[in-house]
Amino acid sequence: MTKKTTDIKQADNPSRRRFFKKLWGWIALAAGVELAGLSIPFISSGRKKQKKKETGTFTGIVPASDLPPGSVFPYQSGRLYVCHLNDGGFLAVSITCTHLGCSVEWNEKKKEFICPCHHSMFSINGEVENPPATRALDIYPLKIEGGMVKVNLSKPIERKHFNKSQETHA
Ligand code: FES
């Protein structure tokens, strides 16, 4: 038997054909899974955007004129503080410590948020002043409408640090 005849016989081998058929099946399945993996986040991000629009209601918290610069207003039911910074900007800062989730308290004397659990400290704009926390306090979308500070309580925004673009001015 020549080598050519052996090759033809091997190609016609039914078990070999079954093997290749299965192999193509697995490749097609893997491609399908990959495609689904790419398209599901795309579809769900569209849904999230839609949901954000639906839940984007702002709640009136406090008249802006009631908060002099450098002051903090605790809004207990929303678990946040409305902060009026010295430069005139407003921020809605989450009460939840970014270390392990305890509730930070405003210390009027020190002008800092202090976490009672492991003593992380945050400035009035939520920036970390003292570890173990490594990330600024979350903020909520805020706007001032008709002289009233309004906050969207639907979802806090995570941030690494404070920057001026996060402020809202009256
Ligand atoms: S939970 Fe706030 S410092 Fe640890």
Side-chain angles (χ1 to χ4, degrees), residues 57-99:
T57 50
F58 282 75
T59 305
I61 308 288
V62 61
S65 58
D66 283 6
L67 287 179
S71 66
V72 166
F73 179 82
Y75 183 64
Q76 305 291 359
S77 56
R79 297 186 48 75
L80 61 86
Y81 295 96
V82 174
C83 306
H84 191 182
L85 310 185
N86 285 322
D87 69 358
F90 285 85
L91 278 178
V93 174
S94 170
I95 200 171
T96 306
C97 180
T98 53
H99 178 227

Short mmCIF file of all heavy atoms in Angstrom, two decimals, residues 57-99:
data_model
loop_
_atom_site.label_atom_id
_atom_site.label_comp_id
_atom_site.label_asym_id
_atom_site.label_seq_id
_atom_site.Cartn_x
_atom_site.Cartn_y
_atom_site.Cartn_z
N THR A 57 -35.32 61.28 39.48
CA THR A 57 -36.07 62.35 40.13
C THR A 57 -35.23 62.98 41.24
O THR A 57 -34.51 62.31 41.95
CB THR A 57 -37.38 61.82 40.74
OG1 THR A 57 -37.07 60.67 41.52
CG2 THR A 57 -38.38 61.44 39.66
N PHE A 58 -35.38 64.28 41.36
CA PHE A 58 -34.63 65.03 42.37
C PHE A 58 -35.56 65.39 43.54
O PHE A 58 -36.69 65.78 43.32
CB PHE A 58 -34.04 66.29 41.76
CG PHE A 58 -32.80 66.02 40.93
CD1 PHE A 58 -32.90 65.44 39.67
CD2 PHE A 58 -31.54 66.33 41.42
CE1 PHE A 58 -31.76 65.18 38.91
CE2 PHE A 58 -30.40 66.08 40.67
CZ PHE A 58 -30.51 65.50 39.42
N THR A 59 -35.04 65.23 44.74
CA THR A 59 -35.81 65.53 45.95
C THR A 59 -35.31 66.84 46.55
O THR A 59 -34.09 67.03 46.70
CB THR A 59 -35.60 64.40 47.00
OG1 THR A 59 -35.94 63.16 46.38
CG2 THR A 59 -36.44 64.60 48.24
N GLY A 60 -36.22 67.73 46.88
CA GLY A 60 -35.85 68.99 47.53
C GLY A 60 -35.36 68.70 48.94
O GLY A 60 -36.02 68.00 49.71
N ILE A 61 -34.17 69.23 49.28
CA ILE A 61 -33.57 68.91 50.59
C ILE A 61 -33.59 70.12 51.53
O ILE A 61 -34.08 70.03 52.64
CB ILE A 61 -32.10 68.43 50.44
CG1 ILE A 61 -31.98 67.28 49.42
CG2 ILE A 61 -31.51 68.04 51.80
CD1 ILE A 61 -32.54 65.96 49.88
N VAL A 62 -33.06 71.24 51.03
CA VAL A 62 -32.91 72.40 51.92
C VAL A 62 -32.77 73.65 51.04
O VAL A 62 -32.18 73.57 49.95
CB VAL A 62 -31.67 72.20 52.84
CG1 VAL A 62 -30.38 72.05 52.05
CG2 VAL A 62 -31.53 73.30 53.88
N PRO A 63 -33.32 74.80 51.47
CA PRO A 63 -33.09 76.03 50.70
C PRO A 63 -31.59 76.37 50.71
O PRO A 63 -30.95 76.32 51.77
CB PRO A 63 -33.90 77.09 51.45
CG PRO A 63 -34.86 76.34 52.31
CD PRO A 63 -34.20 75.03 52.64
N ALA A 64 -31.04 76.71 49.55
CA ALA A 64 -29.61 77.00 49.45
C ALA A 64 -29.21 78.15 50.38
O ALA A 64 -28.12 78.14 50.95
CB ALA A 64 -29.26 77.34 48.00
N SER A 65 -30.13 79.11 50.58
CA SER A 65 -29.82 80.28 51.41
C SER A 65 -29.69 79.92 52.89
O SER A 65 -29.17 80.70 53.68
CB SER A 65 -30.88 81.35 51.21
OG SER A 65 -32.15 80.82 51.55
N ASP A 66 -30.17 78.74 53.29
CA ASP A 66 -30.06 78.31 54.69
C ASP A 66 -28.67 77.77 55.02
O ASP A 66 -28.38 77.48 56.17
CB ASP A 66 -31.08 77.19 55.00
CG ASP A 66 -32.49 77.74 55.19
OD1 ASP A 66 -32.69 78.96 54.96
OD2 ASP A 66 -33.39 76.95 55.54
N LEU A 67 -27.84 77.58 54.00
CA LEU A 67 -26.52 76.99 54.21
C LEU A 67 -25.42 77.99 53.89
O LEU A 67 -25.08 78.19 52.72
CB LEU A 67 -26.34 75.76 53.30
CG LEU A 67 -27.10 74.48 53.64
CD1 LEU A 67 -26.80 73.40 52.62
CD2 LEU A 67 -26.73 74.00 55.03
N PRO A 68 -24.84 78.62 54.89
CA PRO A 68 -23.72 79.53 54.61
C PRO A 68 -22.50 78.73 54.12
O PRO A 68 -22.39 77.54 54.44
CB PRO A 68 -23.45 80.19 55.96
CG PRO A 68 -24.11 79.34 56.98
CD PRO A 68 -25.17 78.54 56.31
N PRO A 69 -21.58 79.36 53.38
CA PRO A 69 -20.38 78.64 52.94
C PRO A 69 -19.64 78.02 54.14
O PRO A 69 -19.55 78.63 55.20
CB PRO A 69 -19.54 79.74 52.27
CG PRO A 69 -20.54 80.75 51.83
CD PRO A 69 -21.62 80.73 52.87
N GLY A 70 -19.18 76.80 53.95
CA GLY A 70 -18.47 76.09 55.02
C GLY A 70 -19.38 75.30 55.94
O GLY A 70 -18.93 74.76 56.95
N SER A 71 -20.67 75.23 55.58
CA SER A 71 -21.59 74.50 56.46
C SER A 71 -22.05 73.20 55.82
O SER A 71 -21.96 73.00 54.61
CB SER A 71 -22.80 75.38 56.82
OG SER A 71 -23.57 75.62 55.68
N VAL A 72 -22.58 72.33 56.69
CA VAL A 72 -23.00 70.99 56.27
C VAL A 72 -24.40 70.73 56.81
O VAL A 72 -24.68 71.02 57.98
CB VAL A 72 -22.01 69.94 56.84
CG1 VAL A 72 -22.56 68.54 56.74
CG2 VAL A 72 -20.68 70.04 56.12
N PHE A 73 -25.27 70.21 55.95
CA PHE A 73 -26.64 69.90 56.36
C PHE A 73 -26.85 68.39 56.27
O PHE A 73 -26.78 67.81 55.18
CB PHE A 73 -27.64 70.63 55.44
CG PHE A 73 -29.07 70.35 55.77
CD1 PHE A 73 -29.71 71.04 56.80
CD2 PHE A 73 -29.79 69.39 55.07
CE1 PHE A 73 -31.04 70.77 57.11
CE2 PHE A 73 -31.11 69.11 55.37
CZ PHE A 73 -31.74 69.81 56.40
N PRO A 74 -27.11 67.73 57.42
CA PRO A 74 -27.34 66.28 57.37
C PRO A 74 -28.76 65.97 56.89
O PRO A 74 -29.72 66.54 57.40
CB PRO A 74 -27.15 65.84 58.82
CG PRO A 74 -27.40 67.05 59.65
CD PRO A 74 -27.17 68.26 58.79
N TYR A 75 -28.86 65.10 55.90
CA TYR A 75 -30.18 64.66 55.43
C TYR A 75 -30.27 63.16 55.76
O TYR A 75 -29.85 62.31 54.98
CB TYR A 75 -30.31 64.92 53.92
CG TYR A 75 -31.67 64.55 53.36
CD1 TYR A 75 -32.83 65.20 53.78
CD2 TYR A 75 -31.79 63.54 52.41
CE1 TYR A 75 -34.06 64.86 53.27
CE2 TYR A 75 -33.03 63.20 51.89
CZ TYR A 75 -34.16 63.86 52.33
OH TYR A 75 -35.39 63.51 51.83
N GLN A 76 -30.77 62.89 56.97
CA GLN A 76 -30.73 61.54 57.53
C GLN A 76 -31.41 60.50 56.65
O GLN A 76 -30.84 59.44 56.39
CB GLN A 76 -31.39 61.51 58.92
CG GLN A 76 -30.81 62.50 59.91
CD GLN A 76 -29.39 62.15 60.35
OE1 GLN A 76 -28.84 61.14 59.91
NE2 GLN A 76 -28.80 62.98 61.18
N SER A 77 -32.64 60.80 56.19
CA SER A 77 -33.37 59.76 55.45
C SER A 77 -32.69 59.42 54.12
O SER A 77 -32.87 58.33 53.60
CB SER A 77 -34.82 60.18 55.24
OG SER A 77 -34.87 61.41 54.59
N GLY A 78 -31.92 60.37 53.58
CA GLY A 78 -31.20 60.06 52.34
C GLY A 78 -29.79 59.55 52.60
O GLY A 78 -29.08 59.19 51.69
N ARG A 79 -29.41 59.51 53.88
CA ARG A 79 -28.07 59.06 54.28
C ARG A 79 -26.97 59.84 53.54
O ARG A 79 -26.06 59.28 52.95
CB ARG A 79 -27.91 57.54 54.08
CG ARG A 79 -28.88 56.75 54.97
CD ARG A 79 -28.66 55.25 54.92
NE ARG A 79 -27.30 54.81 55.08
CZ ARG A 79 -26.62 54.78 56.23
NH1 ARG A 79 -27.19 55.22 57.33
NH2 ARG A 79 -25.38 54.34 56.28
N LEU A 80 -27.16 61.17 53.56
CA LEU A 80 -26.17 62.03 52.91
C LEU A 80 -26.07 63.37 53.64
O LEU A 80 -26.91 63.70 54.49
CB LEU A 80 -26.52 62.24 51.43
CG LEU A 80 -27.85 62.90 51.08
CD1 LEU A 80 -27.75 64.42 51.07
CD2 LEU A 80 -28.31 62.42 49.72
N TYR A 81 -25.04 64.11 53.29
CA TYR A 81 -24.85 65.47 53.80
C TYR A 81 -24.82 66.40 52.60
O TYR A 81 -24.15 66.11 51.59
CB TYR A 81 -23.51 65.61 54.51
CG TYR A 81 -23.37 64.78 55.78
CD1 TYR A 81 -22.76 63.53 55.76
CD2 TYR A 81 -23.84 65.27 57.00
CE1 TYR A 81 -22.62 62.78 56.93
CE2 TYR A 81 -23.70 64.53 58.17
CZ TYR A 81 -23.09 63.29 58.13
OH TYR A 81 -22.94 62.56 59.28
N VAL A 82 -25.56 67.52 52.70
CA VAL A 82 -25.41 68.57 51.68
C VAL A 82 -24.34 69.52 52.21
O VAL A 82 -24.46 70.03 53.34
CB VAL A 82 -26.74 69.32 51.43
CG1 VAL A 82 -26.51 70.49 50.49
CG2 VAL A 82 -27.79 68.37 50.87
N CYS A 83 -23.29 69.71 51.43
CA CYS A 83 -22.15 70.53 51.87
C CYS A 83 -22.07 71.78 51.01
O CYS A 83 -22.10 71.69 49.77
CB CYS A 83 -20.84 69.75 51.72
SG CYS A 83 -20.88 68.16 52.56
N HIS A 84 -21.96 72.94 51.68
CA HIS A 84 -21.73 74.19 50.95
C HIS A 84 -20.26 74.55 51.14
O HIS A 84 -19.84 74.92 52.25
CB HIS A 84 -22.65 75.28 51.49
CG HIS A 84 -22.67 76.50 50.63
ND1 HIS A 84 -23.40 77.61 50.93
CD2 HIS A 84 -22.07 76.77 49.45
CE1 HIS A 84 -23.23 78.52 49.99
NE2 HIS A 84 -22.42 78.03 49.08
N LEU A 85 -19.47 74.40 50.11
CA LEU A 85 -18.03 74.60 50.21
C LEU A 85 -17.71 76.09 50.30
O LEU A 85 -18.53 76.95 49.92
CB LEU A 85 -17.32 73.97 49.01
CG LEU A 85 -17.70 72.52 48.68
CD1 LEU A 85 -16.83 71.99 47.55
CD2 LEU A 85 -17.59 71.61 49.90
N ASN A 86 -16.52 76.39 50.77
CA ASN A 86 -16.12 77.79 50.94
C ASN A 86 -16.05 78.56 49.63
O ASN A 86 -16.19 79.77 49.60
CB ASN A 86 -14.78 77.88 51.67
CG ASN A 86 -14.97 77.60 53.15
OD1 ASN A 86 -15.97 78.01 53.75
ND2 ASN A 86 -14.04 76.86 53.74
N ASP A 87 -15.85 77.86 48.50
CA ASP A 87 -15.80 78.55 47.20
C ASP A 87 -17.19 78.76 46.61
O ASP A 87 -17.33 79.23 45.49
CB ASP A 87 -14.89 77.79 46.22
CG ASP A 87 -15.48 76.47 45.77
OD1 ASP A 87 -16.58 76.09 46.25
OD2 ASP A 87 -14.86 75.80 44.93
N GLY A 88 -18.24 78.38 47.36
CA GLY A 88 -19.61 78.61 46.90
C GLY A 88 -20.26 77.39 46.26
O GLY A 88 -21.45 77.40 45.99
N GLY A 89 -19.47 76.34 46.00
CA GLY A 89 -20.03 75.14 45.37
C GLY A 89 -20.78 74.27 46.36
O GLY A 89 -20.50 74.29 47.56
N PHE A 90 -21.76 73.51 45.83
CA PHE A 90 -22.52 72.57 46.66
C PHE A 90 -22.18 71.14 46.25
O PHE A 90 -21.94 70.85 45.06
CB PHE A 90 -24.03 72.78 46.47
CG PHE A 90 -24.56 74.01 47.16
CD1 PHE A 90 -24.50 75.25 46.54
CD2 PHE A 90 -25.13 73.93 48.42
CE1 PHE A 90 -24.98 76.39 47.17
CE2 PHE A 90 -25.62 75.06 49.07
CZ PHE A 90 -25.55 76.30 48.43
N LEU A 91 -22.20 70.24 47.24
CA LEU A 91 -22.00 68.81 46.98
C LEU A 91 -22.96 68.03 47.87
O LEU A 91 -23.21 68.43 49.01
CB LEU A 91 -20.58 68.37 47.38
CG LEU A 91 -19.41 68.59 46.44
CD1 LEU A 91 -18.13 68.09 47.13
CD2 LEU A 91 -19.59 67.84 45.13
N ALA A 92 -23.47 66.91 47.37
CA ALA A 92 -24.24 65.98 48.20
C ALA A 92 -23.34 64.77 48.44
O ALA A 92 -23.09 63.98 47.53
CB ALA A 92 -25.52 65.56 47.49
N VAL A 93 -22.84 64.67 49.67
CA VAL A 93 -21.82 63.67 50.01
C VAL A 93 -22.46 62.51 50.78
O VAL A 93 -23.20 62.73 51.74
CB VAL A 93 -20.71 64.34 50.87
CG1 VAL A 93 -19.71 63.31 51.37
CG2 VAL A 93 -20.00 65.41 50.06
N SER A 94 -22.15 61.31 50.37
CA SER A 94 -22.70 60.12 51.03
C SER A 94 -22.18 59.98 52.45
O SER A 94 -21.03 60.32 52.75
CB SER A 94 -22.33 58.87 50.23
OG SER A 94 -22.66 57.71 50.96
N ILE A 95 -23.02 59.43 53.31
CA ILE A 95 -22.67 59.21 54.71
C ILE A 95 -21.79 57.95 54.87
O ILE A 95 -21.16 57.74 55.90
CB ILE A 95 -23.99 59.07 55.52
CG1 ILE A 95 -23.77 59.33 57.00
CG2 ILE A 95 -24.64 57.71 55.31
CD1 ILE A 95 -25.08 59.41 57.78
N THR A 96 -21.74 57.13 53.83
CA THR A 96 -21.10 55.81 53.93
C THR A 96 -19.59 55.88 53.73
O THR A 96 -19.11 56.29 52.66
CB THR A 96 -21.72 54.84 52.89
OG1 THR A 96 -23.13 54.85 53.08
CG2 THR A 96 -21.19 53.43 53.06
N CYS A 97 -18.85 55.46 54.74
CA CYS A 97 -17.38 55.45 54.67
C CYS A 97 -16.91 54.50 53.57
O CYS A 97 -17.44 53.38 53.44
CB CYS A 97 -16.81 55.01 56.02
SG CYS A 97 -15.01 54.96 56.05
N THR A 98 -15.94 54.95 52.80
CA THR A 98 -15.46 54.12 51.68
C THR A 98 -14.46 53.05 52.14
O THR A 98 -13.98 52.29 51.32
CB THR A 98 -14.81 55.00 50.60
OG1 THR A 98 -13.81 55.83 51.22
CG2 THR A 98 -15.84 55.87 49.90
N HIS A 99 -14.17 53.01 53.43
CA HIS A 99 -13.30 51.93 53.92
C HIS A 99 -14.12 50.65 54.05
O HIS A 99 -14.00 49.76 53.21
CB HIS A 99 -12.64 52.31 55.25
CG HIS A 99 -11.78 51.23 55.81
ND1 HIS A 99 -11.84 50.85 57.12
CD2 HIS A 99 -10.85 50.43 55.21
CE1 HIS A 99 -10.97 49.87 57.33
NE2 HIS A 99 -10.36 49.60 56.18
#
